[in-house]
Amino acid sequence: MATAAAASASEPEVEPQAGPEAEGGEDEAKAASADRNVQSRAVASDAAKTKGPGWDLQREGVSESDGDEEDAMASSAESSPGEDEWEYDEEEEKNQLEIERLEEQLSINGYDYNCHVELIRLLRLEGELNKVRMARQKMSELFPLTEELWLEWLHDEISMAMDGLDREHVYELFERAVKDYICPNIWLEYGQYSVGGIGQKGGLEKVRSVFERALSSVGLHMTKGLAIWEAYREFESAIVEAARLEKVHSLFRRQLAIPLYDMEATLAEYEEWSEDPIPESVLQSYQKALEQLEKYKPYEEALLQAEAPRLAEYQAYIDFEMKIGDPARIQLIFERALVENCLVPDLWIRYSRYLDRQLKVKDLVLSVHSRAVRNCPWTVGLWSRYLLAMERHGVDHQMISATFENALSAGFIQATDYVEIWQVYLDYLRRRVDFRQDSSKELEELRSMFTRALEYLQQEVEERFSESGDPSCVIMQSWARVEARLCNNMQKARELWDSIMTRGNAKYANMWLEYYNLERAHGDTQHCRKALHRAVQCTSDYPEHVCEVLLTMERTEGTLEDWDVAIQKTETRLARVNEQRMKAAEKEAALVQQEEERAEQRKKVRAEKKALKKKKKTHGADKRKADEEDEREWGEEEEEQPSKRRRVENSLASGVASAMQEETELSGKCVTIDVASPSKQKEKAASLKLDMPKVAHDSSKDSVTVFVSNLPYSMDEPEAKLRPLFEACGEVVQIRPVFSNRGDFRGYCYVEFKEEKSAQQALELDRKNVEGRPMFVSPCVDKSKNPDFKVFRYSTTLEKHKLFISGLPFSCTKEELEDICKAHGTVKDLRLVTNRAGKPKGLAYVEYENESQASQAVMKMDGMTIKENVIKVAISNPPQRKVPEKPEVRTAPGAPMVPRQMYGARGKGRTQLALLPRALQRHSAAPQAENGPAVGPAVTTSMATEAPKMSNADFAKLLLRK
């Protein structure tokens, strides 16, 4: 493309003195321009064919033949069947409605980037030329346009440029385009387009100026700068005059002195083109550039291998360039990084800081600051630095004020951001005032802005954020200092401090001491004493310090009467403070004592429970033998009352299942509970046990084992179904599903791996959907040894790069939400919150690549309607997770201390039943604990001495007798 453009410019390049040759060159250039116009008309005609008759490009220069062809096309379209026309009308009407909706939305929120892009697309599709221009113009005023948007705009305008005025308009667009971002493709397009105007007055100088600027801007680009050098060199080579040869030599030498890719090919081309040997100085520069290229290659290859936006790779590249210290290369690498990371405020801040401190070139510095706030308008730090840079470089006051007003409408995400930007602007206004004059226009403006700032924070900011953002009244303190120190107006300063204290700051000692220091410096002793007396009465955080300051002042300046008054007030105040502190300390000590007593009681209860379980195990064998002997008698009792037996059977079965489930959730391990069951169920369970080995867990293998829960109870052959899923993480040694006594799958299992890293990788399968339910995968931990262990994989603190979305329709899928969210940035992770059954709860967490993308997504998505649901979007900042209360002990008159029921990590999952029948409970003299057997001194005695052993038959008779 560059070669063709340069070849077309070969004849017009000759100087006017060449006479006929110059005229011939101009004719050829005009002919080439005409050819391009014809091609542009053909492109426009194709667009009209594909986009419909509405795509009118306003081509006044179209010939009659072209018009006849268009009329013929229109007539043929009219004579065609009406089905296509009807479909086209429907599509056009749909587009018009969408255009109206987008225009209305932009009238409400002009900073909706995606609405601008979609509106331009639809207007371009409908052929609304003037509206497309207006939409693009409006968007370019608010946002810097990407390389794709600029090239599309430029190509449209180039295709319609017919005369010199149109060409100048295109030149203006190119100038605007190259200011937004450093884009080699736009510079290349600019240089090639300028070649087409070489026949005009000053055309040659224009082409060379564009190419020289392009080399200054992107000529050092390691991978894309080569195209600019080649285009410029080919253009100069096309001019065959001897006087131009030195220009080509110069371009070759300049290019070979810069480290670029394919330098060897450039050197070979130079050797082939040049008739003379390559100078030694050029070869030395070439060798030096090759050595530099080797140093840059690792960073360039890292960029080529990484995926966009490659921020980490660019940061490393920037650090490398900063160490070398070449300003041109540092500027270029910053610009390259910003093309892909234009929404990263920290990158803009680092770039602008470098320019402010090192280069200090006004136009360059202000341009970068302006682009920074257009890309990241929500970042107050960029606006603050912009205002300071404008003041530093002597920008007009009206422009600084206009920039400040734009900052206020930028939409900051925190109330404190508005306080910061107001503080920066008020500092600037204060520096403009000449305080040697009693009154001036600048001083009045400063005071009016202080008043406006307080009103703005109280009304606008507090209404939006439910807080002013300035609880310490920083702006009001600044105003008071200005009035006291610079204007000698202590009366106004005292009024301001009174207002500060009435806004909840009177309890802080540092606020009173700040006021006292101001009075000491610019007021009088009487007001100092008055301020300290008020501070003694009001301060609650550090009253001793305030009292000490008062006594020190009276010791230095006060009379005896003043000293006595100060002593009396300070002693009274400190006595009251000490009394309050004593009460608080006693209350806290009582709470600590209660907690210690509760801990001791819990320890005692645990020991008693442990002893009880151990005693039950010793009697387990005798109990099972008695069960077998009385099995026949149990069967006879069944025949007597079958209906009542079935009710008891179902009750016992549900109680056993519920108790086993709850006990399993508490311990995370398989627990066997010996409860008698009817003969049929017992026979069924016995037959199942023959085929089903008991789950034996080895705690020594916890590091290579994961605990899998919340699986469907209806899952058949869980081991066979889960093995392929976990084998993707590593070699699986064993999968141990847990079954009930009846042979039903309990919904959880243990998966043992050969290597620990496989178990760690398996944890990433947590919340994976298995047969319609989210599967929970957690580390295998013995909770008897680690009772406080809990697994929660998500952060519970503020995460500025993550969003919390509520109000989603239950039918919204992960893919649908991701399509909406990725329009505002790179989505790293998206999680729809579900319940244990896998049903959506209408909540979601979306993790973006950085804070700026998340902030912009909040602005764009909050209040959005999805499937008739209005969603709420906020930065993820979960409330503090409630720590489960430690088990308390209940007391009753005459009853021993008993512990409250403890629940597992996931709370109370099911109703917990006492497995001891009420008929047996009546014979116990000890009080009954909640949902469990009585715990007291009687528990430690032998159960054989309290009541005779009961067989299963006796147990059933008691139940059936009720």
Side-chain angles (χ1 to χ4, degrees):
M1 184 176 179
T3 305
S8 67
S10 60
E11 292 299 328
E13 176 57 23
V14 182
E15 297 292 337
Q17 290 85 336
E21 291 182 2
E23 294 176 2
E26 290 183 0
D27 293 338
E28 290 182 10
K30 291 179 180 179
S33 177
D35 291 338
R36 284 191 297 274
N37 291 335
V38 171
Q39 291 175 1
S40 66
R41 294 193 194 108
V43 173
S45 178
D46 292 339
K49 292 176 185 177
T50 57
K51 299 181 180 179
W55 184 256
D56 181 15
L57 296 178
Q58 297 186 3
R59 295 169 287 134
E60 295 85 350
V62 177
S63 64
E64 293 182 1
S65 61
D66 294 335
D68 294 339
E69 291 176 3
E70 291 179 354
D71 293 338
M73 290 171 58
S75 62
S76 64
E78 292 176 359
S79 62
S80 62
E83 183 177 354
D84 294 339
E85 183 178 353
W86 176 259
E87 292 178 357
Y88 173 77
D89 291 341
E90 284 187 346
E91 185 69 20
E92 185 178 11
E93 183 178 357
K94 181 180 178 181
N95 289 342
Q96 289 295 335
L97 292 175
E98 182 66 12
I99 288 172
E100 293 177 1
R101 186 191 70 81
L102 292 172
E103 289 177 342
E104 182 179 357
Q105 188 167 346
L106 287 174
S107 64
I108 299 173
N109 179 17
Y111 285 91
D112 194 329
Y113 185 91
N114 294 325
C115 278
H116 282 287
V117 175
E118 184 64 15
L119 178 62
I120 291 172
R121 186 188 70 82
L122 290 176
L123 290 174
R124 190 169 183 267
L125 187 64
E126 292 298 313
E128 298 286 350
L129 175 63
N130 292 330
K131 289 186 177 181
V132 170
R133 281 176 170 168
M134 291 176 60
R136 284 168 167 164
Q137 180 68 26
K138 187 174 182 180
M139 182 180 181
S140 66
E141 292 174 355
L142 297 175
F143 302 100
L145 304 187
T146 63
E147 181 179 354
E148 292 76 13
L149 291 175
W150 271 119
L151 288 176
E152 181 184 76
W153 189 358
L154 290 166
H155 289 160
D156 287 348
E157 295 292 345
I158 289 172
S159 65
M160 294 181 289
M162 306 301 297
D163 52 21
L165 292 178
D166 292 339
R167 179 170 287 276
E168 290 299 325
H169 173 64
V170 175
Y171 283 153
E172 292 176 2
L173 285 181
F174 271 115
E175 291 295 333
R176 292 172 56 188
V178 296
K179 290 179 181 178
D180 276 355
Y181 299 109
I182 297 296
C183 297
N185 292 335
I186 293 180
W187 275 112
L188 183 60
E189 192 77 19
Y190 191 7
Q192 293 169 351
Y193 181 73
S194 64
V195 171
I198 196 171
Q200 298 179 354
K201 184 179 180 181
L204 178 60
E205 290 75 11
K206 175 70 174 178
V207 175
R208 285 178 171 166
S209 173
V210 170
F211 273 118
E212 288 292 342
R213 290 171 56 202
L215 291 179
S216 299
S217 180
V218 296
L220 297 177
H221 199 296
M222 296 282 291
T223 56
K224 297 183 179 180
L226 182 64
I228 304 295
W229 285 99
E230 289 181 348
Y232 191 10
R233 197 174 61 247
E234 289 173 4
F235 165 73
E236 292 290 352
S237 299
I239 304 173
V240 296
E241 280 190 6
R244 308 299 185 210
L245 295 179
E246 185 58 34
K247 184 70 174 179
V248 179
H249 276 290
S250 175
L251 286 174
F252 268 118
R253 293 167 184 170
R254 289 166 59 188
Q255 182 178 351
L256 291 173
I258 296 174
L260 299 173
Y261 274 28
D262 297 332
M263 293 186 64
E264 296 83 357
T266 304
L267 179 62
E269 184 180 353
Y270 186 24
E271 291 174 342
E272 181 180 357
W273 181 85
S274 177
E275 298 177 355
D276 301 327
I278 307 299
E280 185 64 26
S281 59
V282 175
L283 293 176
Q284 291 177 358
S285 300
Y286 169 74
Q287 291 297 331
K288 185 178 180 181
L290 279 179
E291 294 175 0
Q292 293 178 348
L293 180 62
E294 292 301 320
K295 296 179 181 179
Y296 290 119
K297 268 188 177 180
Y299 299 97
E300 291 292 343
E301 290 174 357
L303 291 175
L304 292 175
Q305 295 172 4
E307 296 181 359
R310 304 178 287 194
L311 180 59
E313 289 76 12
Y314 276 119
Q315 293 281 19
Y317 205 163
I318 291 172
D319 293 337
F320 174 72
E321 292 286 10
M322 295 283 276
K323 291 179 181 178
I324 297 177
D326 186 349
R329 298 199 65 89
I330 293 174
Q331 183 184 352
L332 176 64
I333 191 58
F334 268 117
E335 293 290 350
R336 289 177 61 185
L338 288 169
V339 171
E340 298 182 14
N341 299 276
C342 59
L343 300 181
V344 180
D346 292 341
L347 190 58
W348 284 106
I349 290 176
R350 186 178 182 186
Y351 186 22
S352 60
R353 183 189 299 120
Y354 169 77
L355 296 178
D356 287 335
R357 297 177 180 177
Q358 302 296 328
L359 296 186
K360 301 180 181 180
V361 179
K362 176 180 178 180
D363 294 339
L364 177 60
V365 169
L366 296 182
S367 173
V368 170
H369 279 291
S370 176
R371 291 161 53 205
V373 298
R374 291 177 67 199
N375 280 278
C376 305
W378 62 87
T379 307
V380 67
L382 294 175
W383 287 101
S384 301
R385 300 180 70 86
Y386 190 17
L387 291 176
L388 292 172
M390 295 177 76
E391 180 185 2
R392 193 177 296 118
H393 292 283
V395 177
D396 183 67
H397 173 63
Q398 299 298 328
M399 293 184 63
I400 297 179
S401 298
T403 302
F404 169 71
E405 296 296 335
N406 292 335
L408 289 181
S409 61
F412 300 133
I413 60 177
Q414 294 180 350
T416 53
D417 293 344
Y418 289 94
V419 178
E420 180 179 344
I421 196 65
W422 268 109
Q423 191 68 47
V424 171
Y425 185 59
L426 291 170
D427 291 344
Y428 156 71
L429 293 178
R430 192 263 307 163
R431 288 189 286 266
R432 295 181 67 240
V433 179
D434 183 4
F435 290 99
R436 292 172 297 182
Q437 302 178 7
D438 294 339
S439 179
S440 63
K441 180 181 178 180
E442 290 79 8
L443 179 58
E444 295 302 322
E445 182 180 5
L446 175 62
R447 285 172 171 164
S448 65
M449 279 298 167
F450 269 118
T451 304
R452 183 189 166 194
L454 298 178
E455 294 175 352
Y456 187 90
L457 295 177
Q458 185 176 0
Q459 298 175 5
E460 302 288 339
V461 177
E462 192 167 351
E463 179 180 351
R464 178 181 172 187
F465 297 97
S466 300
E467 58 171 329
S468 67
D470 190 15
S472 300
C473 301
V474 174
I475 291 181
M476 203 175 295
Q477 289 186 49
S478 299
W479 191 3
R481 295 189 191 97
V482 169
E483 294 290 350
R485 297 175 182 174
L486 302 177
C487 299
N488 297 320
N489 188 353
M490 278 303 300
Q491 182 62 31
K492 180 64 176 178
R494 293 183 184 115
E495 293 176 2
L496 291 170
W497 271 104
D498 286 341
S499 180
I500 291 172
M501 294 304 179
T502 57
R503 299 192 180 190
N505 294 293
K507 58 184 177 180
Y508 301 117
N510 66 317
M511 301 296 288
W512 284 108
L513 295 179
E514 186 71 25
Y515 180 27
Y516 165 73
N517 291 330
L518 193 68
E519 286 286 359
R520 289 286 293 177
H522 307 284
D524 51 47
T525 305
Q526 180 181 356
H527 284 91
C528 288
R529 182 176 291 110
K530 183 179 179 181
L532 289 177
H533 283 181
R534 292 174 59 191
V536 168
Q537 298 299 323
C538 300
T539 301
S540 60
D541 54 352
Y542 298 104
E544 293 90 351
H545 187 45
V546 174
C547 292
E548 182 181 353
V549 173
L550 175 60
L551 294 177
T552 301
M553 189 194 77
E554 297 298 0
R555 182 178 288 109
T556 305
E557 304 178 16
T559 62
L560 178 60
E561 183 180 356
D562 296 331
W563 173 261
D564 292 339
V565 172
I567 287 291
Q568 180 182 356
K569 286 193 174 185
T570 55
E571 289 179 350
T572 303
R573 175 59 178 165
L574 292 178
R576 191 183 314 132
V577 169
N578 290 330
E579 182 180 354
Q580 293 173 353
R581 290 175 178 171
M582 288 290 292
K583 290 182 179 179
E586 291 175 359
K587 185 177 179 181
E588 187 170 350
L591 292 175
V592 171
Q593 184 178 0
Q594 291 179 9
E595 185 61 31
E596 291 177 352
E597 292 175 356
R598 291 172 183 172
E600 187 65 27
Q601 185 64 27
R602 287 194 297 271
K603 186 177 180 181
K604 181 179 178 182
V605 169
R606 283 196 296 268
E608 292 172 352
K609 281 187 176 181
K610 188 174 181 180
L612 180 61
K613 288 181 180 179
K614 186 175 182 181
K615 189 165 294 184
K616 284 183 178 180
K617 288 182 180 179
T618 59
H619 295 289
D622 297 335
K623 186 175 182 181
R624 282 193 295 272
K625 185 176 181 181
D627 292 343
E628 293 175 358
E629 292 175 354
D630 296 330
E631 184 176 353
R632 186 176 302 170
E633 186 178 354
W634 170 263
E636 294 174 358
E637 292 293 337
E638 281 181 331
E639 296 177 358
E640 295 178 3
Q641 295 182 356
S643 61
K644 193 167 186 178
R645 179 199 57 75
R646 280 192 290 270
R647 289 197 298 271
V648 174
E649 173 188 331
N650 295 335
S651 175
L652 285 175
S654 63
V656 170
S658 176
M660 290 178 67
Q661 176 70 17
E662 183 64 29
E663 194 67 25
T664 302
E665 290 182 0
L666 285 172
S667 64
K669 297 184 178 292
C670 178
V671 179
T672 303
I673 301 179
D674 295 328
V675 179
S677 58
S679 60
K680 293 182 180 180
Q681 293 186 357
K682 188 169 183 177
E683 292 174 1
K684 180 182 177 182
S687 63
L688 289 171
K689 287 180 181 178
L690 294 177
D691 302 330
M692 191 184 310
K694 184 179 179 181
V695 176
H697 180 70
D698 187 359
S699 299
S700 64
K701 297 182 179 180
D702 283 350
S703 61
V704 294
T705 306
V706 295
F707 179 66
V708 183
S709 59
N710 202 45
L711 295 169
Y713 299 134
S714 59
M715 179 182 286
D716 296 329
E717 298 182 359
E719 181 177 358
K721 292 185 177 181
L722 293 176
R723 183 172 290 275
L725 187 63
F726 285 97
E727 281 182 343
C729 304
E731 182 178 350
V732 176
V733 175
Q734 185 184 20
I735 296 180
R736 302 191 299 275
V738 180
F739 295 89
S740 67
N741 285 348
R742 295 187 299 173
D744 297 329
F745 180 47
R746 298 291 302 278
Y748 62 93
C749 66
Y750 298 90
V751 181
E752 180 183 337
F753 292 91
K754 186 175 182 180
E755 298 179 353
E756 185 175 351
K757 65 178 182 179
S758 302
Q760 295 297 326
Q761 187 176 352
L763 296 177
E764 298 179 2
L765 297 176
D766 189 32
R767 267 56 173 198
K768 183 175 180 62
N769 192 281
V770 176
E771 295 189 5
R773 292 173 67 90
M775 173 180 68
F776 298 155
V777 184
S778 59
C780 187
V781 177
D782 189 349
K783 292 187 178 179
S784 63
K785 299 178 181 178
N786 301 276
D788 297 329
F789 176 80
K790 291 181 178 61
V791 176
F792 191 72
R793 62 182 292 193
Y794 304 109
S795 175
T796 58
T797 58
L798 174 64
E799 295 178 282
K800 294 186 179 181
H801 66 290
K802 185 180 291 187
L803 303 184
F804 173 68
I805 303 178
S806 59
L808 289 169
F810 294 151
S811 60
C812 182
T813 64
K814 181 177 180 180
E815 291 74 17
E816 292 173 346
L817 183 59
E818 186 173 4
D819 290 339
I820 296 173
C821 295
K822 69 183 182 182
H824 309 292
T826 303
V827 177
K828 294 182 64 177
D829 185 36
L830 188 148
R831 175 169 64 95
L832 290 177
V833 182
T834 61
N835 57 18
R836 295 176 67 90
K839 304 298 181 182
K841 300 173 69 174
L843 309 174
Y845 289 90
V846 182
E847 181 180 356
Y848 280 95
E849 193 165 50
N850 52 54
E851 173 188 345
S852 60
Q853 294 180 2
S855 302
Q856 187 170 1
V858 170
M859 298 171 58
K860 303 294 178 58
M861 294 176 59
D862 189 28
M864 178 185 291
T865 301
I866 299 179
K867 295 183 180 180
E868 300 182 356
N869 282 37
V870 179
I871 65 173
K872 294 182 179 179
V873 184
I875 298 295
S876 176
N877 187 16
Q880 293 294 326
R881 292 178 62 82
K882 295 182 179 179
V883 179
E885 295 182 0
K886 296 183 179 179
E888 300 177 357
V889 289
R890 291 184 176 180
T891 58
M897 304 293 286
V898 294
R900 289 180 58 88
Q901 179 65 44
M902 295 178 62
Y903 303 128
R906 298 186 183 277
K908 186 174 181 179
R910 290 175 174 79
T911 304
Q912 298 172 341
L913 302 177
L915 300 182
L916 190 65
R918 285 189 293 271
L920 296 181
Q921 295 179 22
R922 296 194 186 107
H923 300 289
S924 177
Q928 184 73 17
E930 181 184 353
N931 289 345
V935 179
V939 177
T940 60
T941 63
S942 174
M943 294 181 65
T945 61
E946 294 177 1
K949 285 186 178 180
M950 299 184 68
S951 65
N952 285 350
D954 297 332
F955 182 66
K957 287 178 182 180
L958 287 173
L959 292 175
L960 297 175
R961 193 176 298 127
K962 292 184 65 178

